[in-house]
Amino acid sequence: MLRILVVDDEPKVRRGVSGLIRMYPEKYEMIGCCACAKEAIEILGKSVPDVILTDIRMPDQDGLELIDYLKHRYQNLDFIILSGYDDFEYARKALQFQVYDFLLKPLKPEELFRALDGVAEKRNSSHITESQSIEDNYFFNLIRSETKDEEEKNRDFLGLSKDKEKYCVALLDARMNCEEFTRKYGSLAYAVKEYLPRAEKTYTCFGYQLISVWKDPYSDDFLEEVIQKLENTFGCRFYLGISRWKEDYHQIKEAYFEALDAVKQYIYFKEQKVSRADRLEQKKMVFPSLLCEKVMNAIRSGNTEQVKQSLQLFFEEYKEKRCTICCLKQHLRRFSRNIESVAEEIGMDGTCSNSIQAFLRNMEEIEDFSEMERVFMNQLERMAKVASEVTEWKMNSYYLKQILDFVQDHFDQPISLEDVAGHVNLSVGYLSNYFKEKMGMPFTDYLLKLRMEKAKELLAHTNEKIYRIAERTGYQNSQYFVTVFKKNTGVTPAEYRKYLKK
Protein backbone atom coordinates (compact mmCIF):
# COMPACT_ATOMS: atom_id res chain seq x y z
CA MET A 1 0.00 0.00 0.00
CA LEU A 2 1.29 3.45 -0.96
CA ARG A 3 1.49 5.90 1.95
CA ILE A 4 0.77 9.48 0.82
CA LEU A 5 1.19 13.00 2.26
CA VAL A 6 -0.47 16.00 0.54
CA VAL A 7 1.05 19.50 0.98
CA ASP A 8 -0.91 22.43 -0.51
CA ASP A 9 -1.92 25.83 0.84
CA GLU A 10 -5.32 25.72 -0.90
CA PRO A 11 -7.97 23.93 1.27
CA LYS A 12 -10.05 23.13 -1.81
CA VAL A 13 -7.13 21.32 -3.45
CA ARG A 14 -6.30 19.40 -0.27
CA ARG A 15 -9.92 18.23 0.06
CA GLY A 16 -10.11 17.29 -3.62
CA VAL A 17 -6.88 15.30 -3.75
CA SER A 18 -7.58 13.59 -0.42
CA GLY A 19 -11.06 12.59 -1.62
CA LEU A 20 -9.63 11.02 -4.78
CA ILE A 21 -6.98 9.09 -2.85
CA ARG A 22 -9.51 7.78 -0.31
CA MET A 23 -11.56 6.28 -3.17
CA TYR A 24 -9.05 3.39 -3.26
CA PRO A 25 -8.27 2.40 0.36
CA GLU A 26 -6.92 -0.95 -0.82
CA LYS A 27 -4.15 0.83 -2.81
CA TYR A 28 -3.47 4.11 -1.03
CA GLU A 29 -3.22 5.32 2.56
CA MET A 30 -3.43 9.02 3.46
CA ILE A 31 -1.04 9.72 6.33
CA GLY A 32 -1.86 13.43 6.38
CA CYS A 33 -2.76 16.74 4.70
CA CYS A 34 -1.11 20.06 5.48
CA ALA A 35 -0.91 23.63 4.22
CA CYS A 36 2.82 24.41 4.38
CA ALA A 37 6.34 23.00 4.49
CA LYS A 38 6.66 23.48 8.26
CA GLU A 39 3.60 21.29 8.94
CA ALA A 40 4.91 18.66 6.49
CA ILE A 41 8.25 18.46 8.31
CA GLU A 42 6.41 18.00 11.64
CA ILE A 43 4.36 15.13 10.17
CA LEU A 44 7.49 13.40 8.86
CA GLY A 45 8.92 13.56 12.38
CA LYS A 46 6.15 11.14 13.41
CA SER A 47 5.44 9.10 10.26
CA VAL A 48 7.33 8.86 6.95
CA PRO A 49 5.26 8.46 3.76
CA ASP A 50 6.26 6.79 0.50
CA VAL A 51 5.27 9.71 -1.70
CA ILE A 52 4.63 13.43 -1.13
CA LEU A 53 2.30 15.44 -3.38
CA THR A 54 3.30 19.07 -2.99
CA ASP A 55 2.35 22.41 -4.48
CA ILE A 56 5.18 24.70 -5.64
CA ARG A 57 3.89 28.11 -4.62
CA MET A 58 3.36 28.12 -0.86
CA PRO A 59 3.99 30.67 1.92
CA ASP A 60 7.36 30.73 3.72
CA GLN A 61 8.96 27.84 1.84
CA ASP A 62 8.04 26.67 -1.66
CA GLY A 63 7.66 23.07 -2.80
CA LEU A 64 11.10 22.79 -4.39
CA GLU A 65 12.76 24.06 -1.20
CA LEU A 66 10.75 21.49 0.79
CA ILE A 67 11.86 18.70 -1.57
CA ASP A 68 15.50 19.79 -1.32
CA TYR A 69 15.27 19.82 2.49
CA LEU A 70 13.63 16.39 2.75
CA LYS A 71 15.89 14.68 0.21
CA HIS A 72 18.85 15.41 2.47
CA ARG A 73 17.11 13.98 5.53
CA TYR A 74 15.06 10.97 4.38
CA GLN A 75 15.72 7.96 2.20
CA ASN A 76 13.41 6.43 -0.41
CA LEU A 77 10.98 9.35 -0.64
CA ASP A 78 9.23 10.02 -3.95
CA PHE A 79 7.75 13.38 -4.92
CA ILE A 80 4.95 14.49 -7.25
CA ILE A 81 4.55 18.21 -7.86
CA LEU A 82 1.12 19.85 -8.16
CA SER A 83 1.10 23.30 -9.70
CA GLY A 84 -1.25 25.76 -11.32
CA TYR A 85 1.71 27.36 -13.11
CA ASP A 86 2.42 25.84 -16.50
CA ASP A 87 6.02 26.97 -16.32
CA PHE A 88 8.89 25.19 -18.02
CA GLU A 89 11.42 26.59 -15.54
CA TYR A 90 9.62 24.92 -12.64
CA ALA A 91 9.45 21.63 -14.54
CA ARG A 92 13.18 21.83 -15.30
CA LYS A 93 14.05 22.46 -11.66
CA ALA A 94 11.75 19.64 -10.59
CA LEU A 95 13.66 17.25 -12.84
CA GLN A 96 16.92 18.37 -11.20
CA PHE A 97 15.43 17.28 -7.86
CA GLN A 98 14.52 13.90 -9.41
CA VAL A 99 10.81 14.50 -8.93
CA TYR A 100 8.76 11.54 -10.18
CA ASP A 101 6.07 13.60 -11.94
CA PHE A 102 4.78 17.14 -12.49
CA LEU A 103 0.96 17.54 -12.55
CA LEU A 104 -0.90 20.72 -13.45
CA LYS A 105 -3.99 22.09 -11.77
CA PRO A 106 -6.90 21.70 -12.20
CA LEU A 107 -5.91 18.11 -11.52
CA LYS A 108 -7.34 15.33 -13.68
CA PRO A 109 -8.07 12.19 -11.58
CA GLU A 110 -6.70 9.83 -14.24
CA GLU A 111 -3.36 11.71 -14.26
CA LEU A 112 -3.10 11.58 -10.47
CA PHE A 113 -3.78 7.82 -10.36
CA ARG A 114 -1.37 7.17 -13.25
CA ALA A 115 1.41 9.00 -11.35
CA LEU A 116 0.66 7.26 -8.02
CA ASP A 117 0.51 3.82 -9.66
CA GLY A 118 3.81 4.59 -11.39
CA VAL A 119 5.43 5.33 -8.03
CA ALA A 120 3.94 2.13 -6.54
CA GLU A 121 5.25 0.05 -9.44
CA LYS A 122 8.68 1.63 -9.15
CA ARG A 123 8.83 0.92 -5.42
CA ASN A 124 7.63 -2.66 -5.86
CA SER A 125 10.25 -3.35 -8.53
CA SER A 126 12.96 -1.96 -6.24
CA HIS A 127 12.14 -4.71 -3.68
CA ILE A 128 12.41 -2.31 -0.73
CA THR A 129 10.26 -3.42 2.18
CA GLU A 130 8.64 -0.90 4.51
CA SER A 131 10.85 -2.01 7.41
CA GLN A 132 13.97 -1.60 5.25
CA SER A 133 12.88 1.87 4.23
CA ILE A 134 12.30 2.88 7.87
CA GLU A 135 15.68 1.47 8.94
CA ASP A 136 17.44 3.26 6.07
CA ASN A 137 15.88 6.54 7.21
CA TYR A 138 17.03 6.07 10.80
CA PHE A 139 20.55 5.14 9.70
CA PHE A 140 20.65 8.12 7.35
CA ASN A 141 19.55 10.40 10.21
CA LEU A 142 22.15 8.77 12.45
CA ILE A 143 25.05 9.67 10.16
CA ARG A 144 23.60 13.17 9.63
CA SER A 145 22.92 13.79 13.34
CA GLU A 146 24.53 16.90 14.81
CA THR A 147 24.22 16.11 18.52
CA LYS A 148 24.97 13.11 20.71
CA ASP A 149 21.31 12.97 21.75
CA GLU A 150 20.15 12.72 18.12
CA GLU A 151 22.75 10.07 17.44
CA GLU A 152 21.70 8.00 20.44
CA LYS A 153 18.00 8.35 19.59
CA ASN A 154 18.52 7.01 16.05
CA ARG A 155 20.83 4.25 17.28
CA ASP A 156 18.13 3.14 19.74
CA PHE A 157 15.48 3.15 16.97
CA LEU A 158 17.75 0.85 14.95
CA GLY A 159 18.10 -1.50 17.94
CA LEU A 160 21.86 -1.39 17.80
CA SER A 161 23.19 -3.25 20.80
CA LYS A 162 25.15 -1.48 23.51
CA ASP A 163 26.96 -4.71 24.29
CA LYS A 164 30.65 -4.97 23.53
CA GLU A 165 31.22 -6.79 20.23
CA LYS A 166 33.86 -6.40 17.57
CA TYR A 167 32.75 -5.29 14.08
CA CYS A 168 33.70 -3.12 11.13
CA VAL A 169 31.65 -1.14 8.62
CA ALA A 170 32.04 -1.83 4.90
CA LEU A 171 30.75 0.77 2.46
CA LEU A 172 30.06 -0.32 -1.11
CA ASP A 173 29.91 2.72 -3.43
CA ALA A 174 28.25 2.02 -6.79
CA ARG A 175 29.03 4.51 -9.55
CA MET A 176 25.76 4.19 -11.45
CA ASN A 177 22.57 5.89 -12.56
CA CYS A 178 20.33 5.00 -9.60
CA GLU A 179 17.02 5.25 -11.51
CA GLU A 180 18.24 3.13 -14.41
CA PHE A 181 19.89 0.57 -12.11
CA THR A 182 16.70 0.22 -10.03
CA ARG A 183 14.54 -0.29 -13.15
CA LYS A 184 16.83 -3.10 -14.33
CA TYR A 185 17.84 -4.83 -11.12
CA GLY A 186 15.84 -3.46 -8.18
CA SER A 187 17.42 -1.65 -5.25
CA LEU A 188 21.19 -1.84 -4.74
CA ALA A 189 20.77 -3.94 -1.58
CA TYR A 190 18.46 -6.40 -3.38
CA ALA A 191 20.67 -6.67 -6.47
CA VAL A 192 24.08 -7.27 -4.88
CA LYS A 193 23.19 -9.23 -1.72
CA GLU A 194 24.12 -12.63 -3.19
CA TYR A 195 27.60 -11.41 -4.14
CA LEU A 196 28.64 -9.84 -0.82
CA PRO A 197 29.94 -11.56 2.33
CA ARG A 198 27.44 -12.25 5.09
CA ALA A 199 26.57 -9.12 7.07
CA GLU A 200 25.00 -8.64 10.50
CA LYS A 201 23.11 -5.56 9.28
CA THR A 202 22.80 -3.64 6.02
CA TYR A 203 21.55 -0.13 5.24
CA THR A 204 21.27 1.89 2.04
CA CYS A 205 22.19 5.58 1.78
CA PHE A 206 21.67 7.94 -1.16
CA GLY A 207 20.57 5.01 -3.32
CA TYR A 208 24.17 4.16 -4.34
CA GLN A 209 25.82 3.36 -0.98
CA LEU A 210 25.34 -0.03 0.67
CA ILE A 211 26.56 -0.09 4.27
CA SER A 212 27.28 -3.52 5.79
CA VAL A 213 28.23 -4.41 9.36
CA TRP A 214 30.73 -7.29 9.32
CA LYS A 215 31.85 -9.45 12.23
CA ASP A 216 34.35 -11.50 10.20
CA PRO A 217 37.55 -10.31 8.50
CA TYR A 218 37.92 -10.76 4.72
CA SER A 219 41.12 -10.56 2.70
CA ASP A 220 41.73 -7.93 0.02
CA ASP A 221 42.12 -10.63 -2.65
CA PHE A 222 38.71 -12.10 -1.83
CA LEU A 223 37.04 -8.64 -1.76
CA GLU A 224 38.65 -7.59 -5.05
CA GLU A 225 37.23 -10.75 -6.65
CA VAL A 226 33.80 -9.76 -5.30
CA ILE A 227 34.11 -6.28 -6.81
CA GLN A 228 35.18 -7.77 -10.15
CA LYS A 229 32.10 -10.04 -10.21
CA LEU A 230 29.83 -7.08 -9.44
CA GLU A 231 31.33 -5.00 -12.25
CA ASN A 232 31.06 -7.86 -14.73
CA THR A 233 27.43 -8.50 -13.76
CA PHE A 234 26.06 -4.95 -13.62
CA GLY A 235 28.34 -3.07 -16.02
CA CYS A 236 29.21 -0.19 -13.66
CA ARG A 237 32.08 0.62 -11.32
CA PHE A 238 32.10 -0.43 -7.65
CA TYR A 239 34.42 0.59 -4.82
CA LEU A 240 34.65 -0.75 -1.29
CA GLY A 241 35.82 1.12 1.81
CA ILE A 242 36.34 -0.61 5.16
CA SER A 243 36.52 1.04 8.59
CA ARG A 244 38.80 0.10 11.47
CA TRP A 245 37.53 -2.56 13.86
CA LYS A 246 35.25 -1.18 16.57
CA GLU A 247 34.30 -2.48 19.99
CA ASP A 248 30.67 -1.30 20.32
CA TYR A 249 27.88 0.35 18.34
CA HIS A 250 28.39 3.72 19.96
CA GLN A 251 31.15 4.05 17.37
CA ILE A 252 29.06 3.13 14.31
CA LYS A 253 28.79 6.70 13.02
CA GLU A 254 32.56 7.07 13.35
CA ALA A 255 32.98 3.75 11.55
CA TYR A 256 30.74 4.90 8.69
CA PHE A 257 32.85 8.02 8.10
CA GLU A 258 36.07 6.00 8.28
CA ALA A 259 34.68 3.70 5.58
CA LEU A 260 33.54 6.73 3.56
CA ASP A 261 37.00 8.31 3.76
CA ALA A 262 38.52 5.00 2.66
CA VAL A 263 36.21 4.36 -0.30
CA LYS A 264 36.48 7.95 -1.59
CA GLN A 265 40.20 7.50 -2.15
CA TYR A 266 39.13 6.57 -5.68
CA ILE A 267 38.83 10.29 -6.47
CA TYR A 268 42.66 10.15 -6.47
CA PHE A 269 43.22 6.51 -7.56
CA LYS A 270 40.59 5.06 -9.93
CA GLU A 271 42.30 1.68 -10.02
CA GLN A 272 42.08 1.18 -6.24
CA LYS A 273 38.89 -0.85 -5.71
CA VAL A 274 39.31 -1.85 -2.05
CA SER A 275 40.54 0.66 0.55
CA ARG A 276 40.93 0.29 4.29
CA ALA A 277 40.80 3.11 6.83
CA ASP A 278 43.74 1.71 8.80
CA ARG A 279 45.98 2.21 5.75
CA LEU A 280 45.16 5.87 5.21
CA GLU A 281 47.73 8.41 6.24
CA GLN A 282 46.49 10.01 9.44
CA LYS A 283 48.42 13.28 9.28
CA LYS A 284 46.23 16.27 10.01
CA MET A 285 45.91 18.68 7.11
CA VAL A 286 45.85 22.36 8.01
CA PHE A 287 43.55 24.64 6.03
CA PRO A 288 45.75 26.54 3.50
CA SER A 289 44.75 30.06 4.56
CA LEU A 290 47.33 31.87 2.42
CA LEU A 291 46.28 30.03 -0.74
CA CYS A 292 42.65 30.72 0.11
CA GLU A 293 43.38 34.44 0.47
CA LYS A 294 45.13 34.46 -2.92
CA VAL A 295 41.98 33.06 -4.51
CA MET A 296 39.80 35.67 -2.77
CA ASN A 297 42.11 38.51 -3.87
CA ALA A 298 42.03 37.22 -7.45
CA ILE A 299 38.21 37.33 -7.35
CA ARG A 300 38.22 40.86 -5.91
CA SER A 301 40.59 42.04 -8.64
CA GLY A 302 38.27 40.64 -11.31
CA ASN A 303 41.18 38.80 -12.96
CA THR A 304 39.84 35.45 -14.25
CA GLU A 305 43.31 34.21 -15.21
CA GLN A 306 44.56 34.84 -11.68
CA VAL A 307 41.48 33.05 -10.31
CA LYS A 308 42.31 29.96 -12.40
CA GLN A 309 45.95 29.91 -11.35
CA SER A 310 45.33 30.52 -7.63
CA LEU A 311 42.46 27.99 -7.49
CA GLN A 312 44.64 25.34 -9.14
CA LEU A 313 47.34 25.94 -6.51
CA PHE A 314 44.70 25.68 -3.76
CA PHE A 315 43.45 22.29 -4.98
CA GLU A 316 46.93 20.99 -5.77
CA GLU A 317 47.59 21.18 -2.02
CA TYR A 318 44.76 18.68 -1.39
CA LYS A 319 45.69 16.36 -4.24
CA GLU A 320 49.29 16.26 -3.08
CA LYS A 321 48.32 15.39 0.50
CA ARG A 322 45.42 13.12 -0.55
CA CYS A 323 43.06 14.68 1.90
CA THR A 324 40.18 12.46 3.08
CA ILE A 325 36.69 13.29 1.83
CA CYS A 326 35.49 14.35 5.31
CA CYS A 327 38.44 16.70 5.81
CA LEU A 328 38.01 18.00 2.26
CA LYS A 329 34.32 18.72 2.83
CA GLN A 330 35.04 20.49 6.12
CA HIS A 331 37.74 22.66 4.50
CA LEU A 332 35.59 23.48 1.47
CA ARG A 333 32.79 24.66 3.74
CA ARG A 334 35.26 27.10 5.27
CA PHE A 335 36.42 28.05 1.77
CA SER A 336 32.81 28.67 0.69
CA ARG A 337 32.25 30.99 3.67
CA ASN A 338 35.14 33.10 2.39
CA ILE A 339 33.57 33.08 -1.07
CA GLU A 340 30.26 34.20 0.40
CA SER A 341 31.96 37.13 2.17
CA VAL A 342 33.66 38.25 -1.05
CA ALA A 343 30.34 37.99 -2.92
CA GLU A 344 28.81 40.37 -0.36
CA GLU A 345 31.80 42.72 -0.70
CA ILE A 346 31.34 43.08 -4.45
CA GLY A 347 27.57 43.43 -4.12
CA MET A 348 26.78 40.11 -5.83
CA ASP A 349 23.65 38.08 -5.13
CA GLY A 350 23.91 34.63 -3.53
CA THR A 351 23.63 32.59 -6.75
CA CYS A 352 27.26 31.43 -6.87
CA SER A 353 27.61 30.68 -3.16
CA ASN A 354 24.22 28.88 -3.20
CA SER A 355 25.39 26.68 -6.08
CA ILE A 356 28.55 25.80 -4.17
CA GLN A 357 26.58 25.03 -0.99
CA ALA A 358 24.26 22.74 -2.98
CA PHE A 359 27.30 20.93 -4.38
CA LEU A 360 28.86 20.52 -0.93
CA ARG A 361 25.66 18.99 0.45
CA ASN A 362 26.05 16.19 -2.10
CA MET A 363 29.82 16.16 -2.27
CA GLU A 364 29.97 12.45 -1.44
CA GLU A 365 28.64 11.82 -4.96
CA ILE A 366 31.70 13.18 -6.79
CA GLU A 367 33.46 10.64 -9.00
CA ASP A 368 36.82 12.35 -9.37
CA PHE A 369 38.72 15.35 -8.11
CA SER A 370 38.46 17.23 -11.41
CA GLU A 371 34.66 17.27 -11.14
CA MET A 372 34.93 19.30 -7.94
CA GLU A 373 37.54 21.61 -9.48
CA ARG A 374 35.21 22.34 -12.41
CA VAL A 375 32.33 23.29 -10.10
CA PHE A 376 34.43 25.80 -8.15
CA MET A 377 36.23 27.09 -11.25
CA ASN A 378 32.96 27.84 -13.08
CA GLN A 379 31.43 29.68 -10.12
CA LEU A 380 34.54 31.66 -9.19
CA GLU A 381 35.17 32.75 -12.77
CA ARG A 382 31.62 34.09 -12.82
CA MET A 383 32.30 35.97 -9.60
CA ALA A 384 35.54 37.43 -11.01
CA LYS A 385 33.70 38.70 -14.09
CA VAL A 386 31.05 40.34 -11.91
CA ALA A 387 33.78 41.86 -9.71
CA SER A 388 35.49 43.23 -12.84
CA GLU A 389 32.24 44.77 -14.05
CA VAL A 390 31.51 46.24 -10.62
CA THR A 391 35.04 47.67 -10.37
CA GLU A 392 34.77 49.18 -13.84
CA TRP A 393 31.35 50.64 -13.01
CA LYS A 394 32.63 52.10 -9.73
CA MET A 395 35.69 53.52 -11.47
CA ASN A 396 33.58 55.03 -14.23
CA SER A 397 31.15 56.49 -11.71
CA TYR A 398 34.04 57.88 -9.70
CA TYR A 399 35.72 59.55 -12.70
CA LEU A 400 32.48 60.87 -14.12
CA LYS A 401 31.43 62.35 -10.77
CA GLN A 402 34.86 63.99 -10.36
CA ILE A 403 34.66 65.49 -13.84
CA LEU A 404 31.08 66.76 -13.57
CA ASP A 405 31.66 68.19 -10.09
CA PHE A 406 34.74 70.06 -11.32
CA VAL A 407 32.90 71.51 -14.31
CA GLN A 408 29.93 72.52 -12.14
CA ASP A 409 32.25 74.31 -9.71
CA HIS A 410 34.34 76.07 -12.40
CA PHE A 411 32.08 76.68 -15.40
CA ASP A 412 32.08 80.43 -14.53
CA GLN A 413 35.81 80.46 -15.23
CA PRO A 414 37.66 80.10 -18.56
CA ILE A 415 38.27 76.33 -18.07
CA SER A 416 39.44 73.94 -20.78
CA LEU A 417 39.61 70.17 -21.31
CA GLU A 418 43.27 70.33 -20.22
CA ASP A 419 42.20 71.78 -16.85
CA VAL A 420 39.73 68.93 -16.26
CA ALA A 421 42.24 66.26 -17.39
CA GLY A 422 44.79 67.63 -14.94
CA HIS A 423 42.25 67.54 -12.11
CA VAL A 424 41.38 63.84 -12.59
CA ASN A 425 44.89 62.73 -13.67
CA LEU A 426 43.89 61.49 -17.12
CA SER A 427 45.35 62.28 -20.52
CA VAL A 428 43.51 64.87 -22.60
CA GLY A 429 42.95 62.38 -25.45
CA TYR A 430 41.56 59.66 -23.14
CA LEU A 431 39.35 62.16 -21.30
CA SER A 432 37.95 63.54 -24.56
CA ASN A 433 36.89 60.06 -25.76
CA TYR A 434 35.71 58.96 -22.31
CA PHE A 435 33.54 62.07 -21.81
CA LYS A 436 31.92 61.74 -25.23
CA GLU A 437 31.18 58.03 -24.61
CA LYS A 438 29.60 58.63 -21.19
CA MET A 439 27.74 61.90 -21.86
CA GLY A 440 26.85 61.45 -25.51
CA MET A 441 28.44 64.79 -26.54
CA PRO A 442 31.90 66.41 -26.69
CA PHE A 443 33.16 68.23 -23.61
CA THR A 444 32.91 71.68 -25.28
CA ASP A 445 29.24 71.07 -26.19
CA TYR A 446 28.47 70.03 -22.62
CA LEU A 447 30.22 73.11 -21.17
CA LEU A 448 28.39 75.41 -23.62
CA LYS A 449 25.03 73.83 -22.76
CA LEU A 450 25.68 74.21 -19.02
CA ARG A 451 26.65 77.89 -19.42
CA MET A 452 23.60 78.68 -21.58
CA GLU A 453 21.23 77.05 -19.06
CA LYS A 454 22.80 79.07 -16.23
CA ALA A 455 22.55 82.29 -18.32
CA LYS A 456 18.84 81.68 -18.99
CA GLU A 457 18.28 81.11 -15.28
CA LEU A 458 20.01 84.40 -14.36
CA LEU A 459 18.13 86.33 -17.08
CA ALA A 460 14.82 84.97 -15.82
CA HIS A 461 15.29 85.41 -12.08
CA THR A 462 17.64 88.39 -11.62
CA ASN A 463 17.95 91.99 -12.81
CA GLU A 464 21.73 91.76 -13.25
CA LYS A 465 23.36 93.54 -16.17
CA ILE A 466 24.18 91.50 -19.28
CA TYR A 467 27.95 91.98 -18.85
CA ARG A 468 27.65 90.69 -15.26
CA ILE A 469 25.72 87.57 -16.39
CA ALA A 470 28.42 87.00 -19.03
CA GLU A 471 31.09 87.04 -16.32
CA ARG A 472 29.08 84.70 -14.08
CA THR A 473 28.81 82.15 -16.90
CA GLY A 474 32.49 82.16 -17.85
CA TYR A 475 32.61 84.81 -20.60
CA GLN A 476 35.03 87.70 -20.06
CA ASN A 477 33.87 89.41 -23.29
CA SER A 478 30.19 90.37 -23.00
CA GLN A 479 29.83 90.95 -26.75
CA TYR A 480 31.07 87.42 -27.44
CA PHE A 481 28.59 86.15 -24.84
CA VAL A 482 25.72 87.92 -26.68
CA THR A 483 26.83 86.37 -29.99
CA VAL A 484 27.02 82.85 -28.53
CA PHE A 485 23.67 83.22 -26.74
CA LYS A 486 21.87 84.40 -29.90
CA LYS A 487 23.41 81.59 -31.94
CA ASN A 488 22.06 79.00 -29.47
CA THR A 489 18.64 80.50 -28.67
CA GLY A 490 17.82 82.60 -31.73
CA VAL A 491 17.50 85.82 -29.65
CA THR A 492 19.85 88.15 -27.76
CA PRO A 493 19.97 88.02 -23.94
CA ALA A 494 18.05 91.30 -23.74
CA GLU A 495 15.33 90.02 -26.10
CA TYR A 496 15.11 86.78 -24.09
CA ARG A 497 14.56 88.72 -20.82
CA LYS A 498 11.99 91.03 -22.48
CA TYR A 499 10.09 88.03 -23.84
CA LEU A 500 9.97 86.41 -20.38
CA LYS A 501 8.60 89.61 -18.78
CA LYS A 502 5.76 89.77 -21.32
Side-chain angles (χ1 to χ4, degrees), residues 265-477:
Q265 288 298 299
Y266 71 71
I267 67 174
Y268 306 109
F269 306 108
K270 288 289 184 190
E271 66 280 3
Q272 189 169 327
K273 297 294 184 178
V274 178
S275 301
R276 295 181 183 270
D278 55 12
R279 293 179 192 159
L280 296 182
E281 289 188 42
Q282 292 308 303
K283 58 184 178 183
K284 182 77 173 174
M285 181 171 175
V286 178
F287 182 76
S289 301
L290 291 177
L291 292 175
C292 171
E293 192 55 33
K294 281 186 179 179
V295 177
M296 299 306 117
N297 287 335
I299 296 170
R300 290 185 186 101
S301 70
N303 188 324
T304 53
E305 196 55 42
Q306 272 188 11
V307 168
K308 286 181 186 177
Q309 292 172 3
S310 56
L311 191 61
Q312 283 171 353
L313 289 173
F314 180 82
F315 281 125
E316 283 297 330
E317 187 81 0
Y318 290 91
K319 284 192 280 188
E320 182 185 335
K321 295 184 177 174
R322 297 170 192 168
C323 178
T324 64
I325 194 75
C326 292
C327 175
L328 186 59
K329 188 169 185 176
Q330 181 184 0
H331 282 201
L332 290 182
R333 280 178 173 159
R334 180 173 170 181
F335 188 54
S336 71
R337 287 195 292 272
N338 282 273
I339 293 169
E340 198 171 331
S341 297
V342 172
E344 288 178 7
E345 275 180 42
I346 62 179
M348 191 175 178
D349 64 22
T351 307
C352 285
S353 51
N354 289 344
S355 298
I356 289 172
Q357 289 297 335
F359 169 78
L360 290 178
R361 283 198 296 271
N362 299 293
M363 190 175 146
E364 292 83 359
E365 297 185 36
I366 65 169
E367 295 199 32
D368 57 53
F369 205 88
S370 60
E371 181 184 339
M372 179 179 61
E373 289 177 295
R374 282 194 300 274
V375 169
F376 277 87
M377 189 70 77
N378 290 340
Q379 297 303 329
L380 298 195
E381 279 186 352
R382 280 182 60 201
M383 285 183 68
K385 286 175 184 175
V386 171
S388 177
E389 290 166 5
V390 168
T391 301
E392 184 181 354
W393 178 84
K394 284 181 177 177
M395 188 61 72
N396 285 338
S397 299
Y398 170 78
Y399 276 129
L400 195 57
K401 185 176 185 306
Q402 293 286 95
I403 292 165
L404 296 181
D405 284 351
F406 182 81
V407 175
Q408 186 69 40
D409 293 341
H410 298 86
F411 75 91
D412 58 345
Q413 302 167 26
I415 59 170
S416 65
L417 192 61
E418 287 79 1
D419 297 322
V420 181
H423 176 71
V424 293
N425 295 316
L426 293 175
S427 70
V428 174
Y430 179 84
L431 176 59
S432 177
N433 293 330
Y434 173 80
F435 193 93
K436 188 173 181 179
E437 179 190 345
K438 298 302 175 186
M439 299 303 294
M441 65 181 76
F443 172 76
T444 51
D445 289 358
Y446 176 81
L447 181 59
L448 175 63
K449 182 182 176 185
L450 181 62
R451 285 171 167 170
M452 289 299 102
E453 291 301 322
K454 186 65 176 177
K456 288 177 185 177
E457 183 184 331
L458 293 170
L459 288 166
H461 301 292
T462 73
N463 291 318
E464 289 192 30
K465 302 290 185 181
I466 301 300
Y467 79 86
R468 179 60 184 147
I469 291 175
E471 290 174 356
R472 289 187 61 181
T473 53
Y475 296 95
Q476 301 305 311
N477 186 318

Side-chain angles (χ1 to χ4, degrees), residues 19 27 44 51 78 83 188 208 210 228 238 254 291 371 380 393 395 420 477:
K27 293 169 65 176
L44 265 79
V51 60
D78 281 293
S83 178
L188 180 63
Y208 59 86
L210 183 68
Q228 192 60 57
F238 289 85
E254 178 186 322
L291 292 175
E371 181 184 339
L380 298 195
W393 178 84
M395 188 61 72
V420 181
N477 186 318

Side-chain angles (χ1 to χ4, degrees), residues 10-11 47 79 95 145 156 162 180 212 224 343 386 396-397 402 407 422 446 464 467 470 489:
E10 298 179 49
S47 179
F79 298 91
L95 290 173
S145 58
D156 289 345
K162 294 180 181 179
E180 188 178 326
S212 302
E224 282 169 5
V386 171
N396 285 338
S397 299
Q402 293 286 95
V407 175
Y446 176 81
E464 289 192 30
Y467 79 86
T489 64

